[in-house]
Amino acid sequence: MKPAAFDYMRPRDVGEALKALRGANGEAKPIAGGQSLGPMLNLRLARPKLLVDVSRIDSLKEIKDEGDAWRIGACVTHAQLEDKALPGCELLAHVARRVAYRAVRNRGTVGGSLAHADPAADWPLVLAALDAVVRVAGPAGSREVRADAFMTAAFTTVLADDEIVESVRVPKPGAGARWGYYKFCRKTGEFPEAAAALLLDPERRTARLFAGALDRPPQPLDGVARAVAQEGTASADMIAAALARLAPGLGPAARKLRVTAVQRAILQS
Amino acid sequence: MKTIEMTVNGERVQALVEPRTHLADFLRDHQRLTGTHLGCEHGVCGACTVLIDGQPARACITYAVQCEGSEVRTIEGFEDDALMNELRAAFSREHALQCGFCTPGMLIAARDLVLRLPGAHERRIREEMSGNLCRCTGYVGIVHAVASVVQARGASNETPVAQAPTASSAPRFTPVEDRAEEKRQSASPVGAGTRIEDEVIVKHPLERVWAAFADMPGVAACLPGAEITESAGSSVKGRITVKFGPMRAAFAGAAALERDEAAKRGVIRGAGQDALSSSRARGDITYSLSDAGGGSTRIALGIDYSLQGPLAQFSRGGLVKEFVGRMVAEFAANLDRRLAAGTLAPPPAAQLDAGKVFWKWLWSRIKAIFKLRRRAL
Amino acid sequence: MSAEARPGQGVGARVPRKEDARHLHGRGLFVPDMMLPGQREVAFLRSPLAHARIAAVRKPPGSEGRVFVRGDMPEVLPIVAPSTLPTFKLSEQHHLAYGKVRFVGEPIACCVGRTRAEAEDLAEQVEVDFEELPALVDAHQARLDPSIRVHEEWSDNLYLTLQLDNGFDECSKKADVVVKREIELSRQSMNPMEGKGTLAVWDDRANQLVLHSSSQTPHLLRVGVARFLRLNEEQVRVIAPDVGGGFGYKCIVFPEDLCVAWLALKYRKPFRYVEDRREHLVAGANSRQHHYNLTAYASKEGRLLALDAEVTIDGGAYSNWPFTIGLEPGQATGNLPGPYDFRGYRVKTYCVATNKPGFLPYRGVARTGVCFAMELMIDAIARAVNRDPYEVRLQNLVRPEQMPYDNVARKHYDSGDYPRALRMAREKLDVEKWRERQKRGEPDKRIIGIGFASYCEQSAHGTSVFAAWGLPMTPGYDQAAVRLTAGGGLEVRIGVQSHGQGMETTMAQLAHQVLGIDVARVQVVHGDTGTTPFSTGTYASRSMVMSGGAVVNACRELIPRFVRIGAHLLKAPEADCRFENGAVIAPSGSVSLKDIAEAWYMRPERLPENVDRAGLEASVAFKPKRDTGAFSYASHAVAVAVDPETGQVEILDYVVVEDCGTLVNPMVVEGQAIGGIAQGIGTALYEEQQYDANGQPNASTLADYLIPGPTEIPAIRIFHIESPSPYTEFGMKGMGEGGAIAPPAVIFNAVNDALRPLGVEVRDTPLTPEKLLDAIERAKAVPKREAA
């Protein structure tokens, strides 16, 4: 199980990375931690001609407090967040600790997870619920895309071949904000079968609830979120109906499991 | 080949490697440090765990070129490490190893745990060790061994786990945003089993659409990612390139059309092979035309597909189904667009890469649905 | 754990393992670790299809001498494993596909490179034209419809059909209650952490083909390779170095072995093949898949009177050498009655050919399946008569006063107190506590259930048993060779192979028990046909009884020789001397083994005239007094919590009470039992290779095929009973497989106990959350009916 041959380069900065990607005509793949890409390379499912290693670009590794938000560089690892690189944001540490395994978290990055766009991954779901904004670096400069619109389908994002994720801006929830995150995995560290993330922020009058692990991008359950904000709860039927609309292919057992995940995320909040 | 330099177990090493050589192969074959084992080579089993710059990492999904300038430490690099020797003694005492294959990775993960989480209790030890699989011991001895070393080092205060507040005291409020859920949904229709259906209404009379559908190369070219290389009558040869995240496959093959004039139904039977992965795909696309009134035609599309070979051998079949669903949706969109232009030819060369053509089209459809609804209200 | 360890280093002592040190320092030597000058790596192009004719194979241009298909290796004979079982049909497995491919992953072309990556590059470029055939995926369908056949020269898809009827009609007539169930286990891969692997090299100096192979049975591999490559056996040497787990997977001759062996012969260079995880999962999904239709006949108290069984085993595409596809149905047919006392049994077992990898003997061979089936039936009977499954189980077990007991399938149970193990398991689990908690209800709304399962395990079964199964090989005597070294240490040579079982330690303990030599001074040599006596190898929980028995006897053989030399050195009459604790003792004094060895090797002038010229080495063959097997047994008991909202099952407590006769090293016994249980928990809850309608397996990574990790295995508690076998040395019984037998049964019984109020009874492995939720949702839709 060895990868097909590829070339490798390690750009010094974002500009050099973009140039390399542009020059490869879609045959290049950026790599950061490589914790999802690596297995696909070894299995020869992915066969890029060139790997552009962005993991050592300093500007992508910064974590900043911007007052009303945190800015997390694309190459910040799960382990850094797990180890509370952002004091005061328990949710990010809570989520980070549950991403795969520590040895994977030490190298896997937040930006890499977003760009890889596995629908069962943690960050696309949680960052959508937190109303984060993804900053994308491309040939014409940077652009910003809301996290909940970043993934367009399984393993597919708005990123063009010559764009990379630069950072993610996570708005700080107001005082008294509450969150819930529940994922159901058959085994510790494995892909979840069902997941849900909820943010209730009375100060900013925001309620955001997303269901994940649906073979498609995280789906917003706005009506349910509103009900939870207003009444503190939402009925199983209401959740089931919302999921039936958003993920119509689910069988009864699969839907039940996802309803449970949403209910438990709500309970946690 | 690339020249790399790194520190391995405290020694500076330089070597010429292929970029595709993963760190574990580099350590094992080039440095002859064979204590780093390969159990899965896809990052799950943990047998290849080493320290890179002091942190445990999978040597099988880290490429040697990525470790340029790094410090790598393998099981062979812990001969004088007091903590590792404590763990070794505990592993032997608690019978934490049998065949010994997972043991080096297990020890490296365990050492990191002991240093990082003083006072970790049993449940936490189990969670933290879950990135390392052992098929022999059932973990009971491993957990005892690690726990005994954690205990011997004192510090019994487990790091408190972040606990969310309970819902009881939660204040109620009305959120400002007031959107309909449907606005952002990206759902495409998903059928049962490996059959997927979609429907599109085109503003052309049935007979004209039926005639257009006789143009086999034109129809085939509406399949996203299709390239037609040869055509003769109702059959075509060519290939379909599909891109699914970092994965890409090019299925070369042929397709033939069968038509039922009376029922206004047709089946395109296609099959192809991706040479490199020796995977095979087969799909029967059925279309059925009916009058939608007002000079429009309803095209009911269905696809029965099967995938065989390495690309098929994953448990997340839902992803493939979802992908094929998108493919059908784009096929419908292409038909729609081309018929609007008056003809099915010429073919585009773009691969299916949702978020591009498909995404724009989907938006347009959703907008259209909303317009219809508003009118209905 | 609970066993009272005996002091010292002999039988019963918890001696730390001698093999640990090298592994703890990363200095083990596994086949993938080896690198010889000029070594080439081999990769295989494998079939993407389950069933197809091969119309053409095109090698990439310029690949001469680097890509090989069947026709390039005409000297290699197909693997055929005959069996004398009635109705048995032979399958012919070519080492590279010939004419047809019969399962996904079957090797078609063998490709050589300087690195594995290069070999894989080459494999990608080989083109194959297939004519696809309908795949046989369902064993029932394959059995009933012979129009499509895995082996076209056969008349149907049946490897064999076994039948047995012993008193069925007479006993079933007396029944008050009839209980029917359909029970199923899914297909599994064994997943040792190290895949199989073989490095073949021609040794000019020895004039031998040397295979360094990850094998549990080096001597059998030697026989097989010689046979299929048409060599004389003395031209082949097999060395099994450190082996990263076996579990039955590594006890046959693999087609890949024959390929690298042929290459090494042809090119006189080292060639190596190491299986990767994807290959293992896809091409190695070869065990556990059984289907049962059972009807139990019982009294109104739940006393089992008769059992009627139809067993279907999905045998896959080929019969392996040397164990044959007959082993699994043979074991299933004979072991289904389990530890129970009843007198009417009728069984029909079909072993069906399908387009899947051929069945191999996995730890617990067939018994995981039969125990699952039988134990679910016992609980079903209990429900039918409205009694506690524990009570029903207890009253049906063979009682100690019936021992030795010949059961309804003519198995001879040698010793033990089966009910005692069950009673102890109940007590250790503290059933009252769990029942109380079950009644009270959990704050998190999960539902508590408790379950039991009992089994007995034929171990170290020998000549008569295997001869009845009609395999190409029948184990007979096992030999051990021992040699006192000049310094007074001991070398022990055994033909079995230790790959985690700790035999380098436990065999030394046996030698210590007889000769008193410090365990550190006993060197156990194993896994090399060049340096060890013949043995059929490590399988069927046989090594301690068979090889260990031989070690004991070989050590004993030396004692009179020691005494003769010792008496001479002590200038005492031989009759006044005795051997004790590593020394010959006379009334006047004693001499150590070191002195005796010194005399034999370095100071022959000190030896008596009539010294035994066999010297200080002995090779002795051993077989137990009766070769029908030493039966270990156990009862497992668990408490689980079932989450009806997610379908998740958590094991809250897991108790084992086991009896494997005399314990040699309780630590090792517990390790084997727990390791087996972990695999059994995998069978119960996680592991499964699913196939689609085309015969495509859907798991090619460990993210698809889940093997349990530390959070999935509870802190298992083990308690021992020691009932020595009357037939073996020291009363030892084999126990390496036992742990893997009962977990699916005990866990399903506990889950069914929990879900009984919901009217749910689950009966097919693995119990995935989705399956459980489905069952619950379905039960909600159906009005509740009375139990059975």
Side-chain angles (χ1 to χ4, degrees):
Chain A
M1 199 189 285
K2 312 292 180 190
F6 54 74
D7 207 350
Y8 170 89
M9 63 98 64
R10 188 193 291 172
R12 279 165 304 185
D13 54 37
V14 172
E16 211 176 289
L18 296 177
K19 206 173 134 202
L21 290 170
R22 199 155 51 245
N25 288 324
E27 301 284 354
K29 190 78 197 153
I31 186 168
Q35 300 298 289
S36 298
L37 186 58
M40 287 186 164
L41 288 167
N42 287 3
L43 288 156
R44 297 195 179 206
L45 296 172
R47 322 170 57 104
K49 293 216 167 80
L50 171 69
L51 284 187
V52 178
D53 185 350
V54 298
S55 66
R56 307 273 183 113
I57 298 174
D58 287 337
S59 67
L60 300 181
K61 294 200 279 191
E62 289 169 355
I63 299 178
K64 276 188 254 175
D65 188 334
E66 294 185 342
D68 61 340
W70 291 292
R71 184 166 291 284
I72 302 169
C75 289
V76 168
T77 63
H78 315 306
Q80 278 176 278
L81 295 180
E82 176 184 10
D83 296 343
K84 310 216 166 61
L86 284 172
C89 191
E90 291 293 345
L91 174 57
L92 294 181
H94 175 91
V95 172
R97 199 191 121 186
R98 286 157 180 82
V99 175
Y101 317 106
R102 179 71 184 190
V104 170
R105 300 197 285 270
N106 279 331
R107 294 189 72 78
T109 65
V110 174
S113 169
L114 283 173
H116 187 65
D118 188 322
D122 299 83
W123 293 122
L125 171 63
V126 170
L127 293 174
L130 289 177
D131 206 6
V133 174
V134 184
R135 183 179 288 169
V136 171
S142 292
R143 62 180 176 123
E144 303 220 308
V145 184
R146 284 175 57 167
D148 60 11
F150 183 78
M151 189 199 296
T152 55
F155 298 108
T156 311
T157 68
V158 299
L159 284 177
D161 287 339
D162 56 357
E163 289 183 316
I164 61 167
V165 176
E166 212 176 335
S167 63
V168 186
R169 185 177 187 277
V170 182
K172 287 185 186 170
R178 303 188 320 278
W179 51 267
Y181 180 64
Y182 182 83
K183 65 172 175 174
F184 177 78
C185 302
R186 285 182 65 197
K187 262 187 69 180
T188 303
E190 276 309 315
F191 289 115
E193 310 260 304
L198 169 68
L199 176 71
L200 292 173
D201 191 342
E203 193 180 291
R204 301 188 332 172
R205 293 181 60 206
T206 302
R208 296 173 66 84
L209 173 60
F210 282 74
L214 289 166
D215 294 331
R216 57 182 58 189
Q219 300 291 311
L221 281 76
D222 293 348
V224 179
R226 201 163 43 244
V228 175
Q230 287 171 333
E231 347 226 332
T233 184
S235 73
D237 288 346
M238 182 186 195
I239 299 166
L243 283 167
R245 280 198 304 279
L246 297 167
L250 299 174
R255 189 178 304 158
K256 167 81 183 170
L257 190 58
R258 283 158 180 85
V259 170
T260 302
V262 171
Q263 286 177 311
R264 291 194 179 171
I266 294 169
L267 263 180
Q268 250 188 32
S269 68
Chain B
M1 299 291 258
K2 287 245 184 305
T3 304
I4 54 166
E5 214 180 293
M6 68 178 88
T7 306
V8 178
N9 297 335
E11 239 176 80
R12 201 92 197 122
V13 301
Q14 204 184 47
L16 200 61
V17 295
E18 276 193 288
R20 66 167 153 177
T21 304
H22 58 58
L23 178 63
D25 275 349
F26 173 73
L27 294 168
R28 292 171 49 77
D29 298 346
H30 294 246
Q31 303 301 313
R32 297 301 288 139
L33 294 166
T34 56
T36 300
H37 295 155
L38 289 169
C40 74
E41 287 191 283
H42 49 262
V44 180
C45 82
C48 67
T49 307
V50 298
L51 294 188
I52 302 177
D53 297 323
Q55 302 197 316
R58 306 292 205 220
C60 72
I61 50 173
T62 303
Y63 299 95
V65 284
Q66 291 176 282
C67 301
E68 167 79 35
S70 287
E71 281 188 26
V72 174
R73 197 168 177 193
T74 70
I75 187 66
E76 292 92 341
F78 290 94
E79 286 304 296
D80 303 320
D81 185 87
L83 173 54
M84 193 59 103
N85 286 330
E86 256 180 81
L87 280 163
R88 285 178 174 127
F91 266 54
S92 197
R93 186 179 64 240
E94 300 292 342
H95 193 23
L97 66 154
Q98 288 181 25
C99 80
F101 198 79
C102 71
T103 307
M106 205 61 89
L107 283 170
I108 287 174
R111 183 178 173 278
D112 175 68
L113 185 166
V114 173
L115 290 173
R116 193 162 47 83
L117 300 169
H121 53 62
E122 186 193 319
R123 177 74 206 171
R124 187 70 191 270
I125 290 170
R126 286 181 179 274
E127 282 172 11
E128 291 291 330
M129 293 303 292
S130 63
N132 291 70
L133 297 177
C134 169
R135 194 60 162 166
C136 295
T137 65
Y139 308 102
V140 172
I142 293 169
V143 173
H144 282 161
V146 177
S148 73
V149 174
V150 167
Q151 252 165 23
R153 293 172 77 85
S156 57
N157 52 327
E158 157 86 0
T159 332
V161 177
Q163 279 298 333
T166 52
S168 54
S169 59
R172 308 279 149 83
F173 66 100
T174 301
V176 264
E177 288 179 85
D178 190 22
R179 312 166 288 218
E181 274 172 23
E182 287 83 355
K183 272 187 200 165
R184 277 181 302 173
Q185 68 167 292
S186 61
S188 54
V190 175
T194 49
R195 185 179 165 83
I196 287 177
E197 289 172 350
D198 200 359
E199 194 180 273
V200 61
I201 294 175
V202 292
K203 282 187 184 148
H204 296 279
L206 192 145
E207 284 308 323
R208 196 177 147 236
V209 177
W210 180 246
F213 265 75
D215 173 11
M216 179 59 184
V219 174
C222 286
L223 275 168
E227 282 173 73
I228 311 301
T229 52
E230 256 179 71
S231 70
S234 62
S235 57
V236 292
K237 280 189 181 168
R239 68 178 178 164
I240 294 183
T241 306
V242 293
K243 192 180 162 204
F244 193 31
M247 295 175 270
R248 198 173 296 201
F251 293 94
L257 170 66
E258 292 163 24
R259 302 219 322 159
D260 179 343
E261 180 71 45
K264 293 286 184 285
R265 261 210 300 263
V267 190
I268 302 165
R269 297 185 197 282
Q273 186 182 351
D274 175 44
L276 287 176
S277 69
S278 76
S279 294
R280 289 148 175 271
R282 197 169 27 201
D284 290 353
I285 301 172
T286 53
Y287 58 84
S288 174
L289 308 186
S290 57
D291 196 334
S296 293
T297 305
R298 176 180 288 109
I299 308 173
L301 286 168
I303 181 164
D304 284 288
Y305 69 91
S306 72
L307 188 60
Q308 300 206 73
L311 294 178
Q313 292 154 8
F314 296 92
S315 59
R316 298 169 75 187
L319 290 173
V320 178
K321 201 160 128 185
E322 189 79 12
F323 180 79
V324 176
R326 284 155 51 208
M327 201 154 165
V328 173
E330 197 181 347
F331 179 57
N334 284 341
L335 286 172
D336 193 7
R337 212 168 325 112
R338 300 265 194 74
L339 282 166
T343 170
L344 284 175
Q351 309 161 347
L352 172 59
D353 190 353
K356 309 287 177 324
V357 183
F358 167 67
W359 197 237
K360 283 179 200 149
W361 170 79
L362 185 69
W363 269 112
S364 70
R365 281 198 82 182
I366 291 168
K367 279 181 204 148
I369 291 165
F370 271 88
K371 269 183 216 151
L372 284 174
R373 286 219 177 138
R374 288 216 188 98
R375 271 207 298 274
L377 287 170
Chain C
M1 300 287 161
S2 65
E4 288 296 316
R6 291 177 189 90
Q9 300 184 332
V11 168
R14 280 179 189 269
V15 178
R17 298 196 326 161
K18 299 177 69 174
E19 39 272 89
D20 288 351
R22 63 180 185 272
H23 297 303
L24 290 165
H25 291 268
R27 291 199 291 262
L29 182 70
F30 298 87
V31 171
D33 301 338
M34 299 177 141
M35 191 178 272
L36 299 173
Q39 181 172 315
R40 292 287 180 265
E41 303 293 337
V42 168
F44 289 90
L45 171 70
R46 293 176 180 274
S47 176
L49 300 178
H51 197 193
R53 255 182 265 289
I54 298 173
V57 181
R58 283 181 298 281
K59 299 179 192 174
S63 64
E64 289 75 23
R66 294 190 296 142
V67 176
F68 304 87
V69 296
R70 173 71 184 93
D72 299 324
M73 303 177 168
E75 298 84 357
V76 187
L77 294 172
I79 299 171
V80 178
S83 164
T84 58
L85 284 174
T87 77
F88 189 90
K89 294 194 197 75
L90 294 179
S91 71
E92 204 173 68
Q93 181 176 21
H94 292 262
H95 64 291
L96 292 169
Y98 181 66
K100 241 169 88 155
V101 285
R102 293 184 175 86
F103 65 92
V104 173
E106 182 167 2
I108 296 172
C110 167
C111 305
V112 176
R114 279 166 305 180
T115 61
R116 170 70 182 236
E118 205 180 276
E120 288 185 19
D121 292 347
L122 205 51
E124 281 189 336
Q125 292 163 41
V126 179
E127 292 177 0
V128 186
D129 293 340
F130 293 106
E131 289 162 18
E132 200 177 337
L133 298 164
L136 294 161
V137 184
D138 178 73
H140 300 287
Q141 213 179 331
R143 173 165 80 81
L144 297 170
D145 175 12
S147 64
I148 301 148
R149 295 189 297 282
V150 176
H151 298 281
E152 273 153 46
E153 63 279 16
W154 295 6
S155 55
D156 53 24
N157 287 307
L158 277 165
Y159 282 108
L160 81 165
T161 308
L162 294 175
Q163 297 189 62
L164 179 73
D165 185 341
N166 189 359
F168 174 76
D169 282 338
E170 197 191 325
C171 294
S172 58
K173 275 197 298 231
K174 299 175 196 152
D176 306 310
V177 184
V178 178
V179 181
K180 278 180 191 290
R181 288 293 187 277
E182 192 179 343
I183 293 163
E184 201 163 12
L185 293 96
S186 71
R187 203 169 195 82
Q188 279 186 246
S189 311
M190 300 179 213
N191 281 296
M193 292 314 298
E194 178 210 33
K196 67 189 178 192
T198 298
L199 166 61
V201 55
W202 179 261
D203 181 341
D204 273 306
R205 197 178 54 83
N207 198 34
Q208 265 185 332
L209 174 69
V210 181
L211 301 184
H212 301 271
S213 185
S214 179
S215 174
Q216 302 174 230
T217 55
H219 289 275
L220 283 182
L221 182 59
R222 178 198 202 193
V223 173
V225 166
R227 178 167 305 179
F228 298 120
L229 284 171
R230 303 191 238 204
L231 301 170
N232 297 319
E233 276 185 33
E234 57 276 19
Q235 287 178 286
V236 181
R237 176 178 176 186
V238 175
I239 302 169
D242 279 320
V243 173
F247 316 122
Y249 185 58
K250 299 171 178 175
C251 66
I252 67 155
V253 174
F254 284 106
E256 293 91 343
D257 295 333
L258 299 178
C259 289
V260 289
W262 183 90
L263 288 166
L265 273 175
K266 165 99 176 166
Y267 294 98
R268 305 282 153 129
K269 257 196 279 192
F271 289 85
R272 176 173 65 177
Y273 165 69
V274 175
E275 177 188 62
D276 67 29
R277 188 59 51 187
R278 167 154 62 178
E279 291 176 294
H280 179 77
L281 289 168
V282 170
N286 51 27
S287 42
R288 293 284 187 260
Q289 196 168 16
H290 291 194
H291 177 274
Y292 296 85
N293 271 320
L294 299 182
T295 311
Y297 297 80
S299 73
K300 56 182 183 301
E301 295 81 31
R303 189 76 175 81
L304 179 62
L305 302 171
L307 180 70
D308 194 9
E310 185 189 271
V311 185
T312 306
I313 291 167
D314 185 331
Y318 297 107
S319 171
N320 69 83
W321 192 95
F323 288 95
T324 82
I325 204 83
L327 186 68
E328 191 80 11
Q331 292 257 48
T333 306
N335 286 304
L336 181 59
Y340 298 106
D341 171 35
F342 65 99
R343 284 294 153 202
Y345 181 41
R346 184 170 72 184
V347 59
K348 192 162 189 181
T349 303
Y350 302 102
C351 185
V352 186
T354 60
N355 292 117
K356 296 175 191 170
F359 224 99
L360 299 189
Y362 175 28
R363 190 180 206 172
V365 182
R367 286 156 295 181
T368 303
V370 296
C371 173
F372 183 61
M374 195 65 195
E375 292 304 297
L376 261 57
M377 283 313 276
I378 296 287
D379 272 39
I381 293 168
R383 272 193 285 276
V385 300
N386 216 7
R387 290 190 63 196
D388 184 347
Y390 165 80
E391 297 293 341
V392 170
R393 183 165 278 106
L394 192 66
Q395 75 171 355
N396 278 300
L397 287 170
V398 172
R399 297 182 308 280
E401 64 272 19
Q402 292 175 292
M403 289 292 175
Y405 175 86
D406 291 296
N407 88 339
V408 70
R410 302 183 186 96
K411 297 272 176 201
H412 179 80
Y413 297 167
D414 53 341
S415 64
D417 186 342
Y418 297 178
R420 184 177 164 211
L422 180 60
R423 286 195 303 269
M424 256 177 87
R426 185 181 196 280
E427 178 196 316
K428 298 293 183 188
L429 184 70
D430 194 352
V431 166
E432 281 70 28
K433 176 187 83 184
W434 290 110
R435 285 287 179 222
E436 181 55 39
R437 193 166 149 184
Q438 186 178 40
K439 212 183 293 168
R440 209 169 49 231
E442 296 291 288
D444 60 8
K445 305 276 188 275
R446 293 193 301 175
I447 311 170
I448 300 291
I450 60 167
F452 295 92
S454 301
Y455 67 90
C456 58
E457 177 200 3
Q458 192 173 22
S459 76
H461 26 303
T463 311
S464 63
V465 178
F466 275 84
W469 288 331
L471 313 185
M473 71 87 201
T474 299
Y477 290 91
D478 253 61
Q479 274 168 277
V482 298
R483 174 199 286 160
L484 193 69
T485 65
L490 192 75
E491 285 172 2
V492 173
R493 296 166 197 280
I494 48 176
V496 292
Q497 212 280 347
S498 179
H499 41 280
Q501 298 89 342
M503 285 189 252
E504 291 169 28
T505 307
T506 51
M507 294 290 175
Q509 285 181 260
L510 293 179
H512 172 86
Q513 182 72 28
V514 180
L515 297 178
I517 300 171
D518 194 285
V519 160
R521 296 291 310 274
V522 181
Q523 175 82 11
V524 177
V525 179
H526 63 98
D528 182 349
T529 62
T531 57
T532 65
F534 181 86
S535 165
T536 52
T538 299
Y539 60 91
S541 303
R542 65 188 298 282
S543 298
M544 277 319 280
V545 171
M546 299 300 300
S547 244
V551 169
V552 169
N553 280 277
C555 288
R556 283 186 189 140
E557 183 87 2
L558 293 178
I559 291 174
R561 306 184 200 167
F562 295 157
V563 171
R564 183 166 295 170
I565 297 170
H568 182 74
L569 292 173
L570 288 163
K571 299 186 170 52
E574 227 179 293
D576 292 351
C577 296
R578 64 179 200 281
F579 181 78
E580 212 178 279
N581 288 330
V584 173
I585 299 167
S588 57
S590 72
V591 287
S592 68
L593 284 180
K594 188 168 185 288
D595 301 328
I596 291 166
E598 171 87 0
W600 173 260
Y601 290 105
M602 313 301 287
R603 299 282 176 205
E605 68 275 16
R606 294 181 186 162
L607 294 172
E609 283 295 313
N610 65 343
V611 68
D612 187 331
R613 279 176 288 164
L616 301 185
E617 34 191 307
S619 177
V620 174
F622 170 79
K623 197 169 140 165
K625 286 176 210 137
R626 208 189 141 118
D627 65 10
T628 50
F631 281 79
S632 295
Y633 62 94
S635 279
H636 293 202
V638 302
V640 300
V642 180
D643 185 339
E645 304 289 303
T646 62
Q648 181 90 322
V649 176
E650 190 192 348
I651 302 169
L652 301 174
D653 195 10
Y654 199 119
V655 168
V656 181
V657 178
E658 69 89 44
D659 183 349
C660 62
T662 303
L663 296 163
V664 177
N665 184 330
M667 177 188 87
V668 168
V669 166
E670 285 156 10
Q672 290 294 305
I674 294 169
I677 290 166
Q679 291 182 11
I681 290 173
T683 301
L685 298 176
Y686 301 101
E687 299 183 37
E688 174 177 30
Q689 181 64 283
Q690 283 183 335
Y691 290 83
D692 74 7
N694 298 311
Q696 284 295 321
N698 83 347
S700 59
T701 72
L702 291 179
D704 307 299
Y705 188 100
L706 302 184
I707 68 179
T711 49
E712 286 71 56
I713 306 298
I716 297 156
R717 301 188 290 139
I718 301 194
F719 304 89
H720 302 278
I721 298 173
E722 283 187 83
S723 314
S725 170
Y727 307 128
T728 66
E729 286 302 341
F730 300 133
M732 304 182 288
K733 298 179 176 185
M735 55 72 57
E737 297 171 272
I741 292 175
V746 73
I747 291 166
F748 273 64
N749 278 343
V751 170
N752 287 336
D753 177 62
L755 298 183
R756 195 178 174 192
L758 304 181
V760 170
E761 188 186 301
V762 284
R763 291 189 294 271
D764 53 334
T765 67
L767 190 51
T768 62
E770 180 145 0
K771 212 182 268 179
L772 194 50
L773 281 180
D774 247 340
I776 293 171
E777 296 293 303
R778 267 204 315 274
K780 277 186 197 160
V782 176
K784 269 184 203 165
R785 64 191 171 93
E786 291 306 303

